[in-house]
Amino acid sequence: MMIDFLNTPYFGLIVSILSFEVGLYLYRKTKISLFNPLLISIALIIWLLSTFNINIKYYNQGGDLLSFFLGPATVILAVPLYKQFELLKSNLLPILVGIIVGCLSGIISVFFLSKLFGLNSQIGTSLIPKSVTTPIGIEISKQIGGIPSITVAVIIATGIFGAVIGPFICHLFRVRDEVAVGIAIGTAAHAIGTTRAMELGETEGAMSSLAIGVAGLITVIIAPILFALLN
């Protein structure tokens, strides 16, 4: 009976939703950035699968369904951007320059840090699309010869890390402009960071959601070019 349940998409879906709800409850109660709902849900799912020795293939039947909705969920982020369209038009040039510089610095820093720490070239390549959304990152990783599974892991880690420390970094360096804060978080920490930016304010959330799409497009164009030039 239990095996029959595990061998359906319902298992992965139920485990994912319940784990995320636990993480969301902890975050709302504590308001501690480290208790990011996604981070908590990942830890709970890993604990459950390893403790009860459940094969990952059972979980993936439902988990893959959730992954399918990543693209549509990202598109929904355009709603707050639409509400701030006039602000976007009045700051178009600095916004574009900020996103381009952020993408370039992210890719170049990954390349040189990988060389500095002696990482395997394929692993280093897999880290390059770390700051874009998962669907885009997977395709970039495949295009430049990376390992998509590693890319997915580092994208999630980057998003969580950015959501946790992004606002602190902005505060530390006295970046108070709402547009600048949103662009910085969205460019560095994609959709996960954007959920944190939305908590900071509507403007921050709108600019962060804009940065996701633009940064993804820019990275798709420049990542293969920079990869070829640097190698």
Side-chain angles (χ1 to χ4, degrees):
M1 183 70 177
M2 189 62 178
I3 294 296
D4 291 338
F5 173 67
L6 292 176
N7 204 26
T8 66
Y10 297 113
F11 170 68
L13 286 172
I14 291 172
V15 167
S16 298
I17 293 171
L18 289 179
S19 298
F20 188 81
E21 285 298 322
V22 170
L24 198 59
Y25 174 80
L26 288 174
Y27 178 71
R28 286 173 174 169
K29 283 293 184 180
T30 62
K31 294 299 181 182
I32 299 174
S33 297
L34 189 60
F35 289 159
N36 183 281
L38 184 58
L39 178 61
I40 297 297
S41 63
I42 290 172
L44 286 175
I45 291 169
I46 292 174
W47 173 83
L48 177 68
L49 297 182
S50 59
T51 301
F52 295 97
N53 199 27
I54 299 172
N55 196 307
I56 188 67
K57 72 176 183 180
Y58 293 126
Y59 171 77
N60 279 339
Q61 292 183 71
D64 288 343
L65 287 177
L66 291 175
S67 298
F68 172 78
F69 290 102
L70 284 174
T74 303
V75 173
I76 296 298
L77 294 172
V79 174
L81 176 61
Y82 175 76
K83 296 179 179 179
Q84 300 289 333
F85 190 67
E86 291 301 320
L87 185 62
L88 167 62
K89 288 196 299 183
S90 62
N91 293 276
L92 184 59
L93 182 59
I95 286 173
L96 290 178
V97 171
I99 296 174
I100 292 171
V101 171
C103 291
L104 287 171
S105 61
I107 294 172
I108 293 172
S109 62
V110 165
F111 177 82
F112 284 109
L113 286 172
S114 297
K115 294 292 185 182
L116 177 64
F117 290 102
L119 292 182
N120 176 284
S121 60
Q122 193 174 26
I123 294 178
T125 300
S126 305
L127 305 182
I128 287 176
K130 65 178 179 58
S131 293
V132 298
T133 56
T134 303
I136 297 175
I138 290 173
E139 293 306 315
I140 294 174
S141 183
K142 291 178 181 177
Q143 185 179 356
I144 61 179
I147 303 171
S149 57
I150 293 179
T151 300
V152 170
V154 77
I155 286 173
I156 294 173
T158 300
I160 294 173
F161 189 70
V164 171
I165 73 162
F168 170 73
I169 294 295
C170 290
H171 178 74
L172 180 65
F173 289 95
R174 299 181 181 179
V175 181
R176 297 187 177 91
D177 184 84
E178 296 173 341
V179 174
V181 171
I183 292 299
I185 294 176
T187 303
H190 51 83
I192 301 176
T194 298
T195 60
R196 182 70 179 97
M198 286 180 170
E199 294 179 4
L200 299 177
E202 187 174 24
T203 300
E204 289 91 333
M207 294 302 107
S208 186
S209 60
L210 167 68
I212 294 174
V214 178
L217 179 60
I218 292 171
T219 305
V220 166
I221 296 171
I222 67 173
I225 297 173
L226 283 176
F227 179 75
L229 291 174
L230 294 172
N231 282 281

Short mmCIF file of all heavy atoms in Angstrom, two decimals, residues 77-121:
data_model
loop_
_atom_site.label_atom_id
_atom_site.label_comp_id
_atom_site.label_asym_id
_atom_site.label_seq_id
_atom_site.Cartn_x
_atom_site.Cartn_y
_atom_site.Cartn_z
N LEU A 77 5.49 37.46 -11.90
CA LEU A 77 6.23 38.56 -11.28
C LEU A 77 6.14 39.84 -12.09
O LEU A 77 6.56 40.90 -11.64
CB LEU A 77 7.69 38.16 -11.08
CG LEU A 77 7.95 37.02 -10.08
CD1 LEU A 77 9.41 36.61 -10.13
CD2 LEU A 77 7.55 37.43 -8.68
N ALA A 78 5.61 39.74 -13.32
CA ALA A 78 5.44 40.94 -14.14
C ALA A 78 4.33 41.85 -13.62
O ALA A 78 4.28 43.04 -13.97
CB ALA A 78 5.13 40.54 -15.59
N VAL A 79 3.45 41.33 -12.78
CA VAL A 79 2.32 42.12 -12.27
C VAL A 79 2.79 43.34 -11.46
O VAL A 79 2.38 44.47 -11.75
CB VAL A 79 1.37 41.24 -11.43
CG1 VAL A 79 0.28 42.09 -10.79
CG2 VAL A 79 0.74 40.17 -12.32
N PRO A 80 3.66 43.18 -10.44
CA PRO A 80 4.12 44.38 -9.72
C PRO A 80 4.92 45.32 -10.61
O PRO A 80 4.91 46.53 -10.39
CB PRO A 80 5.00 43.81 -8.60
CG PRO A 80 5.36 42.44 -9.02
CD PRO A 80 4.21 41.94 -9.82
N LEU A 81 5.60 44.78 -11.62
CA LEU A 81 6.35 45.63 -12.54
C LEU A 81 5.42 46.53 -13.33
O LEU A 81 5.70 47.72 -13.53
CB LEU A 81 7.18 44.77 -13.50
CG LEU A 81 7.96 45.51 -14.58
CD1 LEU A 81 8.97 46.47 -13.95
CD2 LEU A 81 8.66 44.53 -15.51
N TYR A 82 4.30 46.00 -13.75
CA TYR A 82 3.31 46.79 -14.49
C TYR A 82 2.81 47.98 -13.66
O TYR A 82 2.62 49.08 -14.19
CB TYR A 82 2.13 45.89 -14.88
CG TYR A 82 1.00 46.63 -15.56
CD1 TYR A 82 1.10 47.04 -16.89
CD2 TYR A 82 -0.16 46.94 -14.85
CE1 TYR A 82 0.07 47.73 -17.51
CE2 TYR A 82 -1.20 47.63 -15.45
CZ TYR A 82 -1.08 48.03 -16.78
OH TYR A 82 -2.10 48.72 -17.38
N LYS A 83 2.69 47.76 -12.37
CA LYS A 83 2.21 48.83 -11.49
C LYS A 83 3.25 49.94 -11.33
O LYS A 83 2.90 51.06 -10.96
CB LYS A 83 1.85 48.26 -10.12
CG LYS A 83 0.69 47.27 -10.15
CD LYS A 83 0.41 46.73 -8.75
CE LYS A 83 -0.75 45.76 -8.75
NZ LYS A 83 -1.02 45.20 -7.40
N GLN A 84 4.51 49.63 -11.61
CA GLN A 84 5.59 50.61 -11.46
C GLN A 84 6.18 51.00 -12.82
O GLN A 84 7.34 51.38 -12.91
CB GLN A 84 6.70 50.02 -10.57
CG GLN A 84 6.25 49.66 -9.18
CD GLN A 84 5.96 50.88 -8.33
OE1 GLN A 84 6.53 51.95 -8.54
NE2 GLN A 84 5.08 50.74 -7.36
N PHE A 85 5.35 50.92 -13.87
CA PHE A 85 5.86 51.12 -15.23
C PHE A 85 6.42 52.53 -15.44
O PHE A 85 7.43 52.71 -16.12
CB PHE A 85 4.75 50.84 -16.25
CG PHE A 85 5.25 50.79 -17.66
CD1 PHE A 85 6.10 49.77 -18.08
CD2 PHE A 85 4.87 51.76 -18.58
CE1 PHE A 85 6.57 49.73 -19.38
CE2 PHE A 85 5.34 51.73 -19.88
CZ PHE A 85 6.19 50.70 -20.28
N GLU A 86 5.78 53.52 -14.88
CA GLU A 86 6.26 54.91 -15.04
C GLU A 86 7.63 55.09 -14.39
O GLU A 86 8.50 55.79 -14.92
CB GLU A 86 5.25 55.89 -14.43
CG GLU A 86 3.94 55.98 -15.19
CD GLU A 86 4.14 56.42 -16.64
OE1 GLU A 86 4.99 57.31 -16.89
OE2 GLU A 86 3.48 55.85 -17.53
N LEU A 87 7.81 54.46 -13.24
CA LEU A 87 9.10 54.53 -12.56
C LEU A 87 10.18 53.85 -13.40
O LEU A 87 11.32 54.32 -13.47
CB LEU A 87 9.00 53.86 -11.19
CG LEU A 87 10.23 53.93 -10.29
CD1 LEU A 87 10.58 55.38 -9.96
CD2 LEU A 87 9.99 53.13 -9.01
N LEU A 88 9.81 52.79 -14.06
CA LEU A 88 10.74 52.08 -14.94
C LEU A 88 11.18 52.97 -16.10
O LEU A 88 12.38 53.07 -16.39
CB LEU A 88 10.08 50.81 -15.49
CG LEU A 88 10.78 50.10 -16.65
CD1 LEU A 88 12.16 49.64 -16.24
CD2 LEU A 88 9.94 48.94 -17.14
N LYS A 89 10.24 53.65 -16.71
CA LYS A 89 10.57 54.52 -17.86
C LYS A 89 11.50 55.66 -17.46
O LYS A 89 12.41 56.02 -18.20
CB LYS A 89 9.29 55.07 -18.48
CG LYS A 89 8.48 54.05 -19.24
CD LYS A 89 7.46 54.69 -20.16
CE LYS A 89 6.46 55.52 -19.41
NZ LYS A 89 5.41 56.10 -20.29
N SER A 90 11.29 56.20 -16.28
CA SER A 90 12.09 57.35 -15.85
C SER A 90 13.50 56.96 -15.40
O SER A 90 14.37 57.81 -15.27
CB SER A 90 11.38 58.10 -14.72
OG SER A 90 11.21 57.25 -13.59
N ASN A 91 13.71 55.66 -15.15
CA ASN A 91 15.03 55.19 -14.70
C ASN A 91 15.60 54.10 -15.61
O ASN A 91 16.42 53.29 -15.19
CB ASN A 91 14.93 54.63 -13.27
CG ASN A 91 14.61 55.69 -12.24
OD1 ASN A 91 15.48 56.38 -11.75
ND2 ASN A 91 13.33 55.81 -11.93
N LEU A 92 15.17 54.11 -16.87
CA LEU A 92 15.49 53.00 -17.76
C LEU A 92 16.99 52.79 -17.95
O LEU A 92 17.49 51.66 -17.83
CB LEU A 92 14.83 53.22 -19.13
CG LEU A 92 15.00 52.08 -20.14
CD1 LEU A 92 14.43 50.79 -19.59
CD2 LEU A 92 14.33 52.44 -21.46
N LEU A 93 17.73 53.87 -18.24
CA LEU A 93 19.17 53.73 -18.51
C LEU A 93 19.95 53.21 -17.30
O LEU A 93 20.70 52.22 -17.43
CB LEU A 93 19.75 55.05 -18.99
CG LEU A 93 21.24 55.02 -19.37
CD1 LEU A 93 21.49 54.00 -20.48
CD2 LEU A 93 21.71 56.41 -19.79
N PRO A 94 19.83 53.84 -16.12
CA PRO A 94 20.58 53.30 -14.97
C PRO A 94 20.17 51.88 -14.60
O PRO A 94 21.00 51.09 -14.14
CB PRO A 94 20.26 54.28 -13.83
CG PRO A 94 19.08 55.05 -14.28
CD PRO A 94 19.12 55.09 -15.77
N ILE A 95 18.90 51.53 -14.81
CA ILE A 95 18.45 50.17 -14.53
C ILE A 95 19.15 49.16 -15.44
O ILE A 95 19.69 48.15 -14.99
CB ILE A 95 16.91 50.06 -14.69
CG1 ILE A 95 16.21 50.74 -13.51
CG2 ILE A 95 16.48 48.60 -14.80
CD1 ILE A 95 14.71 50.84 -13.65
N LEU A 96 19.17 49.45 -16.74
CA LEU A 96 19.81 48.55 -17.70
C LEU A 96 21.31 48.43 -17.45
O LEU A 96 21.87 47.33 -17.50
CB LEU A 96 19.55 49.02 -19.14
CG LEU A 96 18.11 48.88 -19.64
CD1 LEU A 96 17.98 49.43 -21.05
CD2 LEU A 96 17.66 47.43 -19.60
N VAL A 97 21.95 49.56 -17.18
CA VAL A 97 23.40 49.55 -16.90
C VAL A 97 23.69 48.73 -15.65
O VAL A 97 24.63 47.91 -15.61
CB VAL A 97 23.95 50.98 -16.74
CG1 VAL A 97 25.39 50.95 -16.24
CG2 VAL A 97 23.87 51.72 -18.07
N GLY A 98 22.87 48.91 -14.61
CA GLY A 98 23.06 48.18 -13.37
C GLY A 98 22.92 46.67 -13.56
O GLY A 98 23.72 45.89 -13.03
N ILE A 99 21.92 46.26 -14.33
CA ILE A 99 21.71 44.83 -14.56
C ILE A 99 22.85 44.24 -15.39
O ILE A 99 23.36 43.15 -15.09
CB ILE A 99 20.36 44.57 -15.26
CG1 ILE A 99 19.21 45.00 -14.35
CG2 ILE A 99 20.21 43.10 -15.63
CD1 ILE A 99 17.84 44.93 -15.00
N ILE A 100 23.27 44.96 -16.43
CA ILE A 100 24.37 44.47 -17.28
C ILE A 100 25.66 44.31 -16.47
O ILE A 100 26.35 43.28 -16.56
CB ILE A 100 24.59 45.41 -18.48
CG1 ILE A 100 23.40 45.34 -19.43
CG2 ILE A 100 25.88 45.05 -19.23
CD1 ILE A 100 23.42 46.39 -20.52
N VAL A 101 25.98 45.32 -15.68
CA VAL A 101 27.19 45.26 -14.86
C VAL A 101 27.09 44.12 -13.85
O VAL A 101 28.07 43.39 -13.60
CB VAL A 101 27.42 46.61 -14.13
CG1 VAL A 101 28.55 46.48 -13.11
CG2 VAL A 101 27.75 47.70 -15.14
N GLY A 102 25.92 43.95 -13.27
CA GLY A 102 25.72 42.86 -12.31
C GLY A 102 25.92 41.50 -12.94
O GLY A 102 26.56 40.61 -12.36
N CYS A 103 25.39 41.30 -14.14
CA CYS A 103 25.55 40.02 -14.85
C CYS A 103 27.01 39.77 -15.19
O CYS A 103 27.54 38.66 -14.99
CB CYS A 103 24.71 40.02 -16.13
SG CYS A 103 22.94 39.98 -15.86
N LEU A 104 27.68 40.79 -15.72
CA LEU A 104 29.09 40.64 -16.09
C LEU A 104 29.97 40.32 -14.88
O LEU A 104 30.80 39.40 -14.93
CB LEU A 104 29.59 41.93 -16.76
CG LEU A 104 29.11 42.21 -18.19
CD1 LEU A 104 29.50 43.61 -18.62
CD2 LEU A 104 29.69 41.19 -19.16
N SER A 105 29.77 41.05 -13.80
CA SER A 105 30.60 40.82 -12.62
C SER A 105 30.34 39.45 -12.02
O SER A 105 31.26 38.78 -11.52
CB SER A 105 30.35 41.91 -11.57
OG SER A 105 28.99 41.91 -11.16
N GLY A 106 29.09 38.99 -12.07
CA GLY A 106 28.75 37.68 -11.54
C GLY A 106 29.43 36.56 -12.32
O GLY A 106 30.01 35.64 -11.73
N ILE A 107 29.38 36.63 -13.64
CA ILE A 107 29.98 35.59 -14.48
C ILE A 107 31.50 35.61 -14.37
O ILE A 107 32.14 34.56 -14.20
CB ILE A 107 29.55 35.78 -15.95
CG1 ILE A 107 28.04 35.56 -16.09
CG2 ILE A 107 30.31 34.82 -16.86
CD1 ILE A 107 27.49 35.91 -17.46
N ILE A 108 32.09 36.79 -14.46
CA ILE A 108 33.56 36.90 -14.43
C ILE A 108 34.11 36.48 -13.07
O ILE A 108 35.14 35.80 -12.99
CB ILE A 108 34.00 38.34 -14.78
CG1 ILE A 108 33.65 38.65 -16.24
CG2 ILE A 108 35.49 38.54 -14.55
CD1 ILE A 108 33.85 40.09 -16.64
N SER A 109 33.43 36.87 -11.99
CA SER A 109 33.91 36.49 -10.66
C SER A 109 33.86 34.98 -10.46
O SER A 109 34.76 34.39 -9.86
CB SER A 109 33.09 37.19 -9.57
OG SER A 109 31.72 36.80 -9.63
N VAL A 110 32.82 34.34 -10.97
CA VAL A 110 32.72 32.88 -10.86
C VAL A 110 33.88 32.22 -11.60
O VAL A 110 34.51 31.28 -11.10
CB VAL A 110 31.38 32.37 -11.44
CG1 VAL A 110 31.43 30.86 -11.68
CG2 VAL A 110 30.24 32.69 -10.49
N PHE A 111 34.18 32.72 -12.79
CA PHE A 111 35.26 32.14 -13.59
C PHE A 111 36.60 32.22 -12.84
O PHE A 111 37.31 31.21 -12.70
CB PHE A 111 35.36 32.86 -14.94
CG PHE A 111 36.49 32.36 -15.80
CD1 PHE A 111 36.34 31.22 -16.57
CD2 PHE A 111 37.70 33.03 -15.83
CE1 PHE A 111 37.39 30.76 -17.35
CE2 PHE A 111 38.75 32.58 -16.61
CZ PHE A 111 38.59 31.43 -17.38
N PHE A 112 36.95 33.40 -12.36
CA PHE A 112 38.25 33.58 -11.72
C PHE A 112 38.33 32.91 -10.35
O PHE A 112 39.39 32.39 -9.97
CB PHE A 112 38.60 35.06 -11.63
CG PHE A 112 39.03 35.65 -12.94
CD1 PHE A 112 38.21 36.53 -13.63
CD2 PHE A 112 40.25 35.30 -13.50
CE1 PHE A 112 38.61 37.06 -14.85
CE2 PHE A 112 40.65 35.83 -14.72
CZ PHE A 112 39.83 36.71 -15.40
N LEU A 113 37.23 32.89 -9.61
CA LEU A 113 37.23 32.20 -8.32
C LEU A 113 37.36 30.68 -8.51
O LEU A 113 38.00 30.00 -7.71
CB LEU A 113 35.96 32.53 -7.54
CG LEU A 113 35.91 33.93 -6.92
CD1 LEU A 113 34.53 34.21 -6.34
CD2 LEU A 113 36.98 34.09 -5.84
N SER A 114 36.75 30.17 -9.58
CA SER A 114 36.88 28.75 -9.89
C SER A 114 38.33 28.40 -10.18
O SER A 114 38.85 27.36 -9.75
CB SER A 114 35.99 28.37 -11.08
OG SER A 114 34.63 28.58 -10.79
N LYS A 115 39.01 29.28 -10.92
CA LYS A 115 40.43 29.07 -11.21
C LYS A 115 41.27 29.17 -9.94
O LYS A 115 42.19 28.38 -9.71
CB LYS A 115 40.92 30.13 -12.22
CG LYS A 115 40.29 30.02 -13.60
CD LYS A 115 40.75 28.77 -14.33
CE LYS A 115 40.20 28.75 -15.76
NZ LYS A 115 40.60 27.50 -16.48
N LEU A 116 40.93 30.15 -9.10
CA LEU A 116 41.69 30.39 -7.87
C LEU A 116 41.64 29.18 -6.94
O LEU A 116 42.65 28.79 -6.34
CB LEU A 116 41.14 31.63 -7.15
CG LEU A 116 41.79 31.98 -5.80
CD1 LEU A 116 43.26 32.34 -5.99
CD2 LEU A 116 41.03 33.13 -5.14
N PHE A 117 40.45 28.56 -6.83
CA PHE A 117 40.29 27.44 -5.91
C PHE A 117 40.48 26.08 -6.59
O PHE A 117 40.24 25.03 -5.98
CB PHE A 117 38.91 27.49 -5.24
CG PHE A 117 38.77 28.63 -4.27
CD1 PHE A 117 38.08 29.79 -4.62
CD2 PHE A 117 39.34 28.56 -3.00
CE1 PHE A 117 37.95 30.85 -3.73
CE2 PHE A 117 39.21 29.60 -2.10
CZ PHE A 117 38.53 30.75 -2.47
N GLY A 118 40.91 26.11 -7.84
CA GLY A 118 41.25 24.88 -8.54
C GLY A 118 40.09 23.95 -8.80
O GLY A 118 40.25 22.72 -8.77
N LEU A 119 38.91 24.49 -9.07
CA LEU A 119 37.75 23.65 -9.34
C LEU A 119 37.87 22.97 -10.69
O LEU A 119 38.48 23.51 -11.63
CB LEU A 119 36.46 24.49 -9.32
CG LEU A 119 36.01 25.08 -7.99
CD1 LEU A 119 34.70 25.82 -8.17
CD2 LEU A 119 35.87 24.00 -6.93
N ASN A 120 37.31 21.80 -10.79
CA ASN A 120 37.20 21.11 -12.07
C ASN A 120 36.52 22.03 -13.07
O ASN A 120 35.56 22.72 -12.74
CB ASN A 120 36.37 19.83 -11.87
CG ASN A 120 36.12 19.09 -13.16
OD1 ASN A 120 35.29 19.50 -13.95
ND2 ASN A 120 36.84 18.00 -13.35
N SER A 121 37.02 22.07 -14.30
CA SER A 121 36.51 23.02 -15.30
C SER A 121 35.02 22.85 -15.55
O SER A 121 34.29 23.84 -15.73
CB SER A 121 37.28 22.87 -16.61
OG SER A 121 37.13 21.56 -17.14
#
